[in-house]
Amino acid sequence: MKAKEKQIAVLPGDGIGPEIMAAGLEVLAAVSQHSDFSYETEFLPFGGRGIDEAGDPLPAQTLAAAKQSHAVLLSAIGGPKWDNSPRRPEQGLLEIRSALNLFANIRPTRVSDIQIDRSPLKADIVRGTDFVIVRELTSGAYFGKPRSLKTDEAIDTIYYSQNEVERIMRIGFDLADQRKKKVTIVDKSNVLATSKLWRQVAASVAAQYPEVEVEYRYVDAMSMAIISQPANFDVVITPNLFGDILSDEAAEITGSIGQIPSMSAGEDGPNLYEPIHGSAPDIAGQGIANPISMINTVAMMLRESFQEGELAQVIEAAVDATIKDGTVTPDMGGKFTTQEVTNHIIDYIDGAYTK
Ligand code: IPM
Ligand code: MG
């Protein structure tokens, strides 16, 4: 028997989800063949598939298996089919984040030299971009109560406790400490009470990290700065809703949101890994979805949950080489299919071990 048998809960989801998940798992199988990393996968219904198969976007069986796993690998959920369903697929995502206490969502934006020309920004502006958005994921506007929708009024609530802010600050400052030692705190403290708390707690945590440079920005100004000076940032710590918006904007400066992985982590229990993009129902089933986000997501899982940094690096190098070759899907300006891109990446992986 191999030394380490890791259990991975696989949630292929909806739209392009199953297609890119297949690509990610092919790549995982390919690198694992060259190492003693060994794992088992369990496929579970989730999102729209959960509604169709079990009447629930997060079926009890899926949550139970996810809790037992060493890591949860998710691709994407949702689609027009469930627009009028009493419970939407997205609800499953919010529930699993909450049930696994995954309060810290890590979304990297890195533009490597070979990607510079793919960015919609000018080369001089985008060169050197390498930052991480640390998005609070289980509180704020997404979870605050009361919450209601009537025909003539609707209520959402933004709530943050000091403890919730403090723990996400620690994740962000610890990360900055291992990186370029700069934190950008994003909020709307000129208007929102929760943002005032956000900034106060940030300042008290910052005092414990004298090595880390701290700056504060309002979210509106930050949305400008992300495109005017993206190379200035290292770790960006932001509440749930702002993080949702800013991370899509940040992803776009790499040239395609179809490349960006993410990790959601809590204090204990398995982490959840997912591309940051959606299920792209408009291109589902055509075999042209960009598999790179899912493949990068697999690399992130190997590094962060399984301490297999070397395997992650082999995957990322293979992805870089493939992008450099121009073997990319239409969203990145190429003409290749999901399977062709995946095969190309696997060829590079196999090549890395036969040298
Ligand atoms: C994301 C997504 C989700 C979010 C949706 C699908 C609920 O946009 O992961 O960024 O808003 O968190
Ligand atoms: Mg989003």
Side-chain angles (χ1 to χ4, degrees):
M1 206 177 88
K2 286 191 171 182
K4 4 170 195 173
E5 187 83 12
K6 298 296 185 189
Q7 306 290 330
I8 304 173
V10 175
L11 282 45
D14 314 316
I16 61 167
E19 302 164 45
I20 61 170
M21 180 61 83
L25 292 177
E26 278 179 45
V27 166
L28 180 60
V31 280
S32 303
Q33 259 175 21
H34 298 287
S35 81
D36 69 352
F37 177 70
S38 109
Y39 63 95
E40 265 175 20
T41 51
E42 186 175 1
F43 283 68
L44 299 153
F46 183 63
R49 275 263 292 279
I51 295 172
D52 290 352
E53 288 176 26
D56 192 332
L58 176 58
Q61 162 224 355
T62 298
L63 179 58
K67 281 186 173 160
Q68 293 302 314
S69 73
H70 296 111
V72 181
L73 195 59
L74 164 65
S75 35
I77 53 149
K81 179 177 174 195
W82 301 281
D83 273 353
N84 298 316
S85 143
R87 302 192 62 216
R88 292 179 59 107
E90 288 80 355
Q91 194 134 17
L93 191 54
L94 300 189
E95 281 172 17
I96 198 170
R97 288 171 177 171
S98 187
L100 298 178
N101 192 27
L102 303 170
F103 65 86
N105 183 222
I106 311 289
R107 300 188 163 186
T109 292
R110 195 173 70 86
V111 181
S112 66
D113 286 345
I114 58 157
Q115 285 169 304
I116 285 178
D117 292 337
R118 299 186 176 279
S119 173
L121 301 184
K122 292 194 181 93
D124 283 348
I125 288 179
V126 82
R127 187 172 290 112
T129 295
D130 180 6
F131 66 88
V132 178
I133 293 180
V134 176
R135 169 188 176 194
E136 198 292 322
L137 201 61
T138 52
S139 188
Y142 277 52
F143 291 92
K145 296 211 171 68
R147 185 185 192 79
S148 67
L149 171 61
K150 298 184 196 144
T151 43
D152 59 344
E153 64 170 26
I155 303 173
D156 287 300
T157 301
I158 307 181
Y159 171 91
Y160 271 114
S161 71
Q162 191 205 338
N163 173 49
E164 285 169 340
V165 181
E166 197 171 321
R167 64 185 185 177
I168 193 73
M169 290 297 163
R170 289 200 185 286
I171 299 273
F173 276 85
D174 283 342
L175 189 60
D177 206 36
Q178 300 155 29
R179 291 176 44 101
K180 296 183 275 176
K181 299 195 190 299
K182 178 172 174 186
V183 161
T184 304
I185 305 291
V186 175
D187 59 43
K188 188 71 188 173
S189 60
N190 48 349
V191 178
L192 301 175
T194 44
S195 279
K196 291 191 175 95
L197 179 71
W198 190 262
R199 209 171 258 223
Q200 278 165 21
V201 175
S204 73
V205 173
Q208 296 158 40
Y209 293 81
E211 316 255 276
V212 177
E213 182 198 340
V214 189
E215 62 172 19
Y216 298 86
R217 294 199 192 230
Y218 299 138
V219 63
D220 49 352
M222 183 64 184
S223 70
M224 291 196 296
I226 277 185
I227 52 168
S228 59
Q229 37 175 284
N232 260 351
F233 301 108
D234 176 20
V235 172
V236 176
I237 311 178
T238 178
N240 202 343
L241 179 59
F242 299 159
D244 178 47
I245 299 163
L246 293 177
S247 61
D248 272 24
E249 187 193 4
E252 200 55 22
I253 70 181
T254 68
S256 172
I257 196 173
Q259 314 175 56
I260 313 289
S262 81
M263 166 174 90
S264 303
E267 260 135 19
D268 40 41
N271 293 348
L272 182 147
Y273 297 85
E274 57 174 321
I276 84 159
H277 61 70
S279 60
D282 52 323
I283 58 161
Q286 297 176 26
I288 55 163
N290 191 346
I292 289 180
S293 58
M294 195 70 228
I295 291 168
N296 281 333
T297 297
V298 164
M300 200 174 192
M301 174 185 75
L302 285 167
R303 178 181 289 118
E304 303 293 339
S305 277
F306 302 138
Q307 287 70 52
E308 295 285 355
E310 266 173 50
L311 298 187
Q313 232 164 6
V314 169
I315 294 175
E316 287 160 353
V319 166
D320 266 7
T322 299
I323 295 174
K324 197 170 181 184
D325 290 346
T327 308
V328 293
T329 44
D331 57 299
M332 291 178 75
K335 58 175 175 36
F336 294 89
T337 64
T338 310
Q339 193 62 56
E340 284 166 339
V341 174
T342 307
N343 292 347
H344 206 78
I345 291 170
I346 290 173
D347 284 347
Y348 271 112
I349 290 171
D350 291 340
Y353 289 99
T354 50
K355 261 185 220 143

